[in-house]
Amino acid sequence: MSSLKRSHAADLQAPNISSKVFVRSGKNGKVQKIVREVYLRQDISCSSRLCARCPAQVPTDTDGVGQISTWTIAPLGFMYARKNVADSTTTVLPIVLSDRPATTRSYPNGHYLVPDTNALLNGLDLFEQPTAFYDVIVLQTVLEEVRHRSLPLYNRLMALTRSDDKRYYVFFNEFRLETYVSREPGESINDRNDRAVRKAVQWYGEHLSQSGRKGAQTGKTPSIVMLSDDRDNLHKARASGLEAASLEKYVSQLDDADRLLDMISSADSKLSEKPIAAGAIYPDYYSISKLMTGINAGTLHRGSFNVSPYNFLEGSATVPAFERPLLILGRENINRAIQGDVVVVELLPKDQWKAPSTKMIDEETVNRDDNAETEEVEAVFTEREGRQLQEEVKRAHGQSREGRSQPTARVVGVTKRNWRQYVGHLDPGSVGDTAKQSRRQQTVFLLPMDKRIPKIRLRTRQAGELLGKRLLVTIDSWDRESRYPVGHFVRSLGEVESKVAETEALLLEYDVQYRPFPVAVLECLPSEGHDWRVPAAATTDPGWVGRRDLRDLPVCSIDPPGCQDIDDALHARPLPNGNIEVGVHIADVSHFVKPDNAMDAEASGRGTTVYLVDKRIDMLPSLLGTDLCSLKPYVERYAFSALWEMTKEAHVVSVAFSKSVIRSREAFSYELAQRRIDDGSQQDELTRGMRLLMALSKKLRQRRMDAGALNLASPEVRIQTESETSDPVDVETKKMLDTNSLVEEFMLLANISVARRVHQQFPQTALLRRHPTPPSTSFDELAAQLRVRRGMALDASSSKALADSLDRCVEPSEPFFNTLVRILATRCMTSAEYFCAGSHREAEFRHYGLATEIYTHFTSPIRRYADLVVHRQLAAALSEEQQQAATSSVSSLEAVCGNLNRRHRNAQFAGRASIEYYVGQALKSRRANLGIGMGANGKAQDERFEGFVIRVFSNGVVVYVPRFGIESAIRVEDIERSIVASMDENPSESTRIVGIVRGKAETVFDPDEYTLDVSVGGGAGAAGAAAAGAAGAAAAAAAGEGGGGRGRSGGPKKTVSNSPTSRKLEIFGKVLVTIRDEKDETTGKRKIKMALV
């Protein structure tokens, strides 16, 4: 690469040009010569309040007229803008860097910080701290490097540059003539970039010395300090006379140094280099070239890694080549992969294939020393053998017998670490007694809230202070010599179990952006605030352009009780020709949220509103979400309307779309709307319209069901709270009314109609939503369970066949059974996803669950960014607006869809976790309010609830309780305790039983019949044999089996009769349970604890 640079020009506006010339070889072997020109200027501001020169050098318009001039720096998308008003005065961007920079012992004159890439990657958590790291110069060179190394860190760094408090300034050193450096012959890119950083530090120092005023605090020019953890870069900087420091050295002189030092990445520290045991614990990863060769040859496979929620030693990888995930068993085969990582796996030889685990195993129940892998590393087989193995996998995946071995693989590489910040608490057993009172540094374990994440090793000086606190940490590295990953402390969230700390922990765990909206976002809101009104129709206000006046229609909204962010409203009225006009009116959020401004960027990043039990994390500021956009009753609002002419049989005659102005006449809850419809005395226009909607919705629903739409189920409960304190007091199951279905049917119709329209106009870039057809093998286990235990057939050959067979899964004696089967069937499917039309074939557009060929989201733009994008696309299709640049190409829209899918999924998980937490709190309150406690016999009495067994393992079962929509594992030892407690309550029965050894339960597990027999009878000898069998199974799991055998833990199969000393459990079986709320000692979370009655 060569660089040609013009000499300095006297005119600051005459840019110098640096040309980068390089050659590139294409896929066809042709060589291309590429020339890139870099325009170098001298008018890029240093943005320091101490500089007197830069404000005078801001560029003026070449024509001398007061025009708006904008200079855009590609490819980062930042803007350096200036506006000349009519009198030729100039207004520049706000100056960022303070004239009173912070002082320290080493820098008594104050200082500005210039971090290199290494410093930001290792210590970004430090830079986000509110107590330090102000007045930071982020170089363009560094920003680009961070962007290429880690997009999440780049986004966090960008958030700092937008902060109004931290004073972070992006300096475009690659476009400033004095700070640009060209790459020298033989110089690596990394060395060139390091030199560019040192050049910028040197220029800033000289620039402020020559043109700056003295610091307001010290009367002297502040120091320009380069921060780096690169020893070579530090050495060269100091040799050049520059101020330079490592992160550790700089932080050690700050106030609160002990806390801040814990936040420095351990990736390059002695902690990550020190092995816990002699030699390597894990196999080395394959080289990049070997991974790529194997993937291209089809002998290696790349996919997403997931950990079983029931067994931390069992994982799976979903890869494109096979319908079903590949099984990964044992610590060595998992090979340092963490939940969510993108891994490369290699299939094991067929004689090493195993069955999925039949045991529930938590990490805390398996001793660390006993879990060192003892199996030898399998030999690598040839490429031909690997290819033959692919056919064996496909044949095995075609077999549905649940007990047979499955294709098993091992992780041989990680192509993308999806590490994030994790929440947990310190393991008290890892904290030394002396360290609890001292400030010495020690290594401790953090136990993550998410049981799928392994323990994380930390170095801290605050172990005593952090015990009992909910902590946020980051993983830095995981070397093959260390059994556990190494990380560093970020901050404390508060006391474990405190409401504030647990809520924030939940939001952080699911990456929910919950910080207050930045000032830049709030500045995009209408200046009138809550006083904003829709302009009078007679005015020439641009808001009315292209809108239909629909204020006279009988429009109303139907939502859950207390809904404030009302996205949608409906109407229906008869037409003179006997048909019916139906309208779905959706809040016109796009009128207020313009493309590419700060509010749009924030909404795109958040992706969706997150609903927790006690709060709502809005996608948009509440001024819009709950007022100006919300289709509240009795006020005029902008809307985007879909209007259909339909026959009385609900057949669509025509459809039209238009932006509109509506005035909702009423806001109903589902229950109030149902009462209004059912009340025959109500004959007003609005009620008659709702009855028309009800009649049409039932016909639409029946037509969807006939086409194969699935009537699936998911547990939905509502937490009742105390009116004054908002504390949970009870749980109730949500009631589904006909009005729920009414709204659902017309929202589906609107979404389908809009999807067709935008795809017609934008066949490549329409934002759509699909539900992939699940492989038929996904339902194999559920089908086998129904066949074995209930004699029922489940046909998953098509959505219609599945819907019909689900309808037949009925037990007259148990009404909930059909709902239970539908819940379990839902779990067999993949999730629906947003996608760009140009990235899939039209045959793949289908939404399996809804049985429609095309679908999108249009009806909830207040709470979903996808709907806002679709609104803009529909407006562009109607030729009312230009399509947004960010969603006008397949690649850019795919990036948007990827974020939306992740945010939507995380929002669902966060909502469920919130419900689970509050169900526990509500049960605790319920016990107190109902006076449940000691019975007449002086023993504890608990309220009993019906539950159903939904999973059977060799060492326990999982029970689902419909009353609260929750499930929990009940282990063999818990079942044994319930049997013993029952015997204690019935001494006349227990006295006839001789030789019971408590704590030595005997189990018989039948994987083919999906049953588990637990007995505490049979004497010490039988119990001892059973215990030995269980111990052997645990040892096999620790040795890499992951509990993978399908044998029985209590000896040969035998029948255990139902007696006072035994319990037989089976899949789908109804049980009675008691439920308590208790603290999980491993995760520190409150959890549901069930016990069999």
Side-chain angles (χ1 to χ4, degrees), residues 13-38:
Q13 276 197 266
N16 287 262
I17 301 176
S18 175
S19 300
K20 294 182 179 180
V21 182
F22 58 96
V23 294
R24 181 172 61 190
S25 177
K27 293 182 180 179
N28 55 6
K30 293 183 178 180
V31 175
Q32 293 178 311
K33 180 180 179 181
I34 298 175
V35 180
R36 290 181 179 169
E37 292 185 336
V38 179

Side-chain angles (χ1 to χ4, degrees), residues 278 355 480 533 1019:
R480 59 191 295 239
R533 297 290 183 270

Side-chain angles (χ1 to χ4, degrees), residues 551-604:
R551 292 175 293 180
D552 61 325
L553 295 178
V555 174
C556 68
S557 61
I558 306 175
D559 292 285
C563 180
Q564 294 178 304
D565 49 346
I566 304 175
D567 287 286
D568 55 86
L570 308 97
H571 90 273
R573 62 178 180 178
L575 295 174
N577 62 2
N579 289 337
I580 301 169
E581 178 190 82
V582 174
V584 168
H585 312 277
I586 308 301
D588 186 9
V589 177
S590 62
H591 175 80
F592 298 94
V593 184
K594 301 301 182 184
D596 302 322
N597 67 7
M599 188 184 299
D600 182 59
E602 183 74 15
S604 176

Side-chain angles (χ1 to χ4, degrees), residues 30 83 131 228 259 282 291 299 483 503 638 667 673 678 952:
K30 293 183 178 180
K83 177 181 178 181
T131 58
S228 176
R259 183 181 68 87
Y282 298 99
L291 292 176
T299 57
R483 187 176 301 277
T503 299
Y638 286 146
D678 295 341
V952 179

Side-chain angles (χ1 to χ4, degrees), residues 426 435-436 438-439 461-469 492 495:
L426 292 187
K436 294 178 181 179
S438 71
R439 303 289 288 182
R461 297 165 178 81
Q462 322 169 67
E465 299 173 15
L466 298 180
L467 273 176
K469 301 288 181 65
S492 170
E495 295 290 335

Side-chain angles (χ1 to χ4, degrees), residues 338-548:
I338 290 180
Q339 171 71 26
D341 284 349
V342 179
V343 300
V344 178
V345 298
E346 179 179 55
L347 286 164
L348 296 175
K350 191 175 181 181
D351 61 358
Q352 296 181 30
W353 290 1
K354 300 170 184 175
S357 170
T358 64
K359 291 182 71 69
M360 295 183 286
I361 304 178
D362 293 331
E363 185 174 11
E364 74 275 11
T365 63
V366 181
N367 185 277
R368 182 183 65 180
D369 295 331
D370 292 342
N371 272 276
E373 301 295 340
T374 58
E375 293 180 344
E376 295 181 0
V377 179
E378 294 84 356
V380 179
F381 40 85
T382 66
E383 184 174 313
R384 174 180 291 182
E385 291 171 333
R387 286 176 179 159
Q388 292 175 345
L389 201 57
Q390 316 307 308
E391 300 305 317
E392 295 287 346
V393 173
K394 293 175 181 177
R395 281 197 291 271
H397 278 176
Q399 299 171 353
S400 61
R401 289 294 294 161
E402 199 259 336
R404 295 181 179 176
S405 297
Q406 294 186 12
T408 309
R410 64 179 175 186
V411 174
V412 295
V414 178
T415 60
K416 183 181 180 183
R417 287 289 192 188
N418 280 323
W419 292 347
R420 54 179 174 83
Q421 293 183 324
Y422 299 95
V423 179
H425 70 287
L426 292 187
D427 180 0
S430 68
V431 180
D433 292 334
T434 57
K436 294 178 181 179
Q437 285 78 36
S438 71
R439 303 289 288 182
R440 69 176 180 85
Q441 190 178 48
Q442 67 164 318
T443 302
V444 295
F445 279 113
L446 178 119
L447 303 177
M449 286 178 63
D450 187 344
K451 285 191 173 184
R452 298 172 301 176
I453 307 301
K455 297 178 182 178
I456 302 171
R457 300 176 66 224
L458 307 173
R459 293 283 285 175
T460 178
R461 297 165 178 81
Q462 322 169 67
E465 299 173 15
L466 298 180
L467 273 176
K469 301 288 181 65
R470 188 64 77 192
L471 308 178
L472 183 67
V473 304
T474 295
I475 293 179
D476 300 320
S477 64
W478 195 351
D479 297 329
R480 59 191 295 239
E481 294 84 9
S482 174
R483 187 176 301 277
Y484 297 101
V486 173
H488 68 267
F489 165 78
V490 176
R491 63 186 175 95
S492 170
L493 307 180
E495 295 290 335
V496 169
E497 293 193 72
S498 68
K499 184 176 179 180
V500 173
E502 295 301 328
T503 299
E504 186 175 10
L506 184 152
L507 296 173
L508 287 166
E509 268 294 290
Y510 296 107
D511 193 23
V512 176
Q513 298 184 21
Y514 63 96
R515 299 297 184 189
F517 288 100
V519 173
V521 171
L522 301 179
E523 288 176 346
C524 298
L525 295 170
S527 58
E528 302 92 336
H530 292 284
D531 295 328
W532 179 89
R533 297 290 183 270
V534 172
T539 68
T540 57
D541 189 278
W544 273 93
V545 175
R547 292 189 186 275
R548 292 182 60 178

